[in-house]
Amino acid sequence: MSLENIPHRPIFIDCEASSLSTRSFPIEVAWGAELGKIESYLINPSDIKEWVDWSEDSQRIHGISLKQLFEDGVDPHWLCQRMNESLAGQVLYSDVPRYDLRWIQVLFTACGQSMTFVIGDAIWLMIRLMSQDVLAAPDVFDEPLFDILETTKKELGRQHRAAWDVEYLLHCWEKVNAATTE
């Protein structure tokens, strides 16, 4: 990917899940390309009979209960349609694509739908942006990417929810982008 292929405003995505096991399912998904314009949805698992794997340890981390999913979650079929309509033809970037892609695939497979978008690696995207400019002007970037990631995480305070993770990635992107264009 050359610099001209790096999106000016990438779309970031994140999922929370019922557990980290191979039988886990997505319980929350969020995406966005701008702060203040992040879409986030809890997912009601009641209509998907295979979605039974639940971890109390995971619940303690993300703070989302099954009761909350049943009461406030959207229909997974509706969510697949919403994502396809909203994100068709786009590349969405995740900081942990191996998990987020798997959970999105679990969602779409359970609903019998195909994704009209793809999921890429947000960290790779930021490294690529930095390395292009750093090669051209080594002094353009004052701190390494992982320092930016950690500093931003501390500034925002960790919440471990999908919308928070998207907001975190958007803040990181803004800092990386600003540092490489100065």
Side-chain angles (χ1 to χ4, degrees):
M1 176 182 285
S2 66
L3 259 184
E4 51 272 357
N5 292 334
I6 294 176
H8 176 68
R9 284 203 170 275
I11 302 169
F12 294 104
I13 186 168
D14 189 74
C15 298
E16 297 300 329
S18 64
S19 75
L20 291 178
S21 82
T22 56
R23 295 179 33 133
S24 63
F25 58 91
I27 62 169
E28 182 180 43
V29 64
W31 67 87
E34 292 182 55
L35 292 170
K37 294 185 179 183
I38 297 170
E39 289 194 46
S40 181
Y41 300 97
L42 292 173
I43 304 168
N44 186 331
S46 63
D47 289 339
I48 313 287
K49 64 179 176 146
E50 299 85 20
W51 287 5
V52 294
D53 181 67
W54 188 259
S55 165
E56 296 294 327
D57 290 336
S58 291
Q59 180 177 325
R60 278 189 286 284
I61 292 169
H62 52 61
I64 302 167
S65 69
L66 272 172
K67 181 178 188 256
Q68 187 178 3
L69 294 177
F70 293 135
E71 291 175 357
D72 301 328
V74 299
D75 176 76
H77 297 88
W78 176 87
L79 181 56
C80 289
Q81 290 173 336
R82 173 71 190 133
M83 292 180 80
N84 275 340
E85 290 168 4
S86 172
L87 305 167
Q90 301 291 320
V91 178
L92 284 67
Y93 294 93
S94 163
D95 59 343
V96 190
R98 69 177 182 183
Y99 285 115
D100 290 331
L101 176 59
R102 180 172 56 119
W103 289 317
I104 295 299
Q105 288 172 331
V106 165
L107 171 66
F108 276 79
T109 299
C111 294
Q113 296 187 38
S114 297
M115 297 167 35
T116 61
F117 54 90
V118 296
I119 296 179
D121 189 324
I123 305 305
W124 179 88
L125 179 69
M126 289 186 228
I127 289 171
R128 188 70 178 154
L129 177 62
M130 288 173 49
S131 67
Q132 290 277 345
D133 282 0
V134 170
L135 290 174
D139 62 338
V140 78
F141 207 78
D142 294 331
E143 56 184 331
L145 174 62
F146 294 102
D147 287 347
I148 287 178
L149 298 174
E150 288 304 310
T151 301
T152 304
K153 199 176 284 186
K154 288 176 187 170
E155 289 170 0
L156 295 177
R158 184 73 174 145
Q159 294 181 5
H160 209 78
R161 291 289 300 266
W164 182 93
D165 285 337
V166 170
E167 181 179 346
Y168 158 73
L169 289 169
L170 287 166
H171 279 284
C172 291
W173 176 258
E174 286 179 3
K175 288 179 180 183
V176 167
N177 200 34
T180 58
T181 57
E182 290 178 351

